[in-house]
Amino acid sequence: MKNNGFVRVADLHKDFLMGETRVQALSGVSLEIEQGSFTVVMGPSGSGKSTLLYLIGGLDWPTSGSIHVDGEEIEKMDENSLAGYRSSKVGFVFQSFNLVSSMPAEENVSFPLRFAGIAPAERKTRSQNLLEQVGLSDRATHKPTELSGGQQQRVAIARALINNPLLILADEPTGNLDSNSGLAIMQLLSDLHKSGKTIIVVTHDSRIKQFSTNTIFLLDGKTVSEQTYRQATELMSQP
Amino acid sequence: MRFFDLVSLIFYNLSRRKGRVLLTAVGVVIGTAAVVVLVSLAVGLRENATRQLWGINDLTSIEVYPGYSMEKMASSSSVMVGGGGGPDSIKYLTPTAIKEIAAIPGVKRVITQDYLNANLDLVYGKLHAYGGVIGVDVTDLADMGLTAAEGTTELARGTAVIGSWITRNFYDPKARPDDPPLEPPQLMGQSVKFVLIKWTQDGVEIKKTMTVKIAGVLAETRGSADGNIYMRLDEVTAWNEWSRGARINRNKEGYAMLIVKAEDPDVVIEVADKINELGFMANTPQSYLQGINSFFLVLQIIFGGVGAIALLVAAIGIANTMAMAILERTREIGLMKAVGATNKDVLSIFLGEAAGIGFIGGLGGVIFGWGGSAVLNLVALSYFASQASANGGLPPTMAASTPFWLPIFALAFATVVGLLSGLYPALRAATLVPVTALKYE
Ligand SMILES: Nc1ncnc2c1ncn2[C@@H]1O[C@H](COP(=O)(O)OP(=O)(O)OP(=O)(O)O)[C@@H](O)[C@H]1O
Ligand SMILES: [Mg+2]
């Protein structure tokens, strides 16, 4: 059970109500992701990639369907258990980094530990270790504005790792970066994958293929086969 | 989240936007300072009023005078055409009345008093003085709560115990205006001549002189006792009868005044009410104090209310600042939730920040308010002192008085005001859906 279906999503629906109109972001997504895999989620803009990732990360509630992660049924959790789930099981990496601009790198990395009741001394050692792991030990006291985009994303990845989660969710982590920095971030995610983390990445960057173990294709809120996906995207890209 | 981490995060969040926090806190400073100064002033005024009117006074005694009933006066005057208030309308303090009063539950003792109703000249050597003599039906003035500064409080035949200010009444009738002011004589243990004067119907002056030994001088009470000369009641009665030339019938005209001692200060008001119901006039320092206290309590509430309004305005400022902060930090809130903050954590952080602004402002307000009261005292006291030395009265010891509970209360109040004004913004922050917050631009 542990090794199979680490993330199981069944008939997942997510509707957004925009005044009168109902936007179907996800309309019946089912998938299974094994523990220790490196999964890429691909799809055109608006296909529901981010929505799916956020639902798996427990940052939003589905309209219907179920989400199991590591044996827990997260859509049935109350607010408090969900906070515990976000704290202990998942690490989030965002396209726009979402660092606290007034805090130095070290404190940004250890920020989640404040809510986990970890003492300051341990927070410091843990964040120093992680900054070393992402190659930024000499930038510990720098604020986000004093770091490059690639460095900021490394800080964000270190933050995602601070609670030692099994699952890393990254929504277009290279979207705001130049291609070299982007590749370095992908490399870093791959290293994490090799160290045993389960990774789900939403990206448009095809270079991710060399690192990933499997790919999920989304079209209009539904998972489709690679073939269907290729046909549809070729149609779209034709003039 | 551990409490220490919560507090340090709140502190950090406040310190990273110092300018705005301080500006918001200024409103709270003003409101709190206003509360502290105005309430201190009200408390100070009350303390002055009570101190000046009643020094240390015996809180178990009730002064009882004959009752003059308005109703009875009105009805009797309608019967006795043009007769005015007849004697029937007065409730005299007769021996029967005294028994009635003594029977009221809670009464420990009834002391009868009468004034000397004659012209009296006190003579000591070449010095003369005036003074009111009161005959009291006790053997020891200690029973009335009086203490001696010199000598005794016991009243023996042929002796008097005098109030602390009596010696100041002595003057030299032959002194010239440019003579140096007289030192009050030391009367303790001395003999003073009491000269009673009356006139016959033909206008012939008759004098009666007694030698009275001053057996004691009372400690200062800052009350009426300071100006009294106390003697035995039977002696004063005899002098009154001499002055009038007729016997006094106590069953008809009673005594001038009674002092009723209650068993306990708590029952004094109750006993006084009963005596009033019987038709006599009862006065207690307590009922007076009660009136003063309730007046100043109202003053305190009004003054405090004015300050509280200033605080309320400040509260709106806090609410506004917090609402702004939450808008600006929406993504941060989303992030906090994404990394494991519970709704309670987020609520506590923002409530804590709002309370923190209230606390900082309250602290400043207490310091300014305290300082303001001190300055007020300095200014007012130097003014009153010059007034008092010009008028020869006692200067008040203070204008504003800050009771120890006031700064604590004001600080707590400011903090609670901050907390409450942060309630709505903080609740909104806590219940944000993480995704929505993270997407906020
Ligand atoms: N909060 C929201 N309110 C209304 N509609 C929303 C909301 N969030 C997403 N949607 C809609 O849901 C659909 C899926 O959005 P989603 O963000 O998941 O797309 P995406 O695949 O991540 O796109 P992109 O590659 O551009 O990031 C879109 O049509 C979007 O307009
Ligand atoms: Mg997206």
Side-chain angles (χ1 to χ4, degrees), chain A residues 16 18 23 25 44-51 172 204, chain B residues 439:
Chain A
F16 290 104
M18 299 285 290
V23 180
S45 185
S47 56
K49 306 182 294 293
S50 298
T51 305
E172 302 192 38
H204 294 290
Chain B
K439 283 185 182 165

Side-chain angles (χ1 to χ4, degrees), chain A residues 82-84 86-87 112 115-116, chain B residues 335-342 345:
Chain A
L82 215 49
R86 292 177 205 133
S87 162
F115 306 106
Chain B
L335 174 79
M336 288 197 283
K337 291 191 147 192
V339 299
T342 60
D345 289 338

Side-chain angles (χ1 to χ4, degrees), chain B residues 237-259:
Chain B
T237 305
W239 293 356
N240 276 340
E241 285 176 345
W242 172 83
S243 167
R244 184 191 287 195
R247 292 201 68 83
I248 294 168
N249 184 354
R250 296 288 183 197
N251 286 323
K252 249 185 95 186
E253 55 190 283
Y255 295 90
M257 181 189 167
L258 305 178
I259 291 184

Side-chain angles (χ1 to χ4, degrees), chain B residues 288-308:
Chain B
Y288 211 82
L289 269 177
Q290 224 176 29
I292 290 176
N293 278 339
S294 59
F295 168 75
F296 280 103
L297 188 68
V298 169
L299 199 69
Q300 256 175 62
I301 291 169
I302 293 171
F303 277 14
V306 170

Side-chain angles (χ1 to χ4, degrees), chain A residues 104-119:
Chain A
E106 190 179 279
E107 281 181 38
N108 261 295
V109 172
S110 65
F111 192 57
L113 296 182
R114 290 174 184 258
F115 306 106
I118 308 287

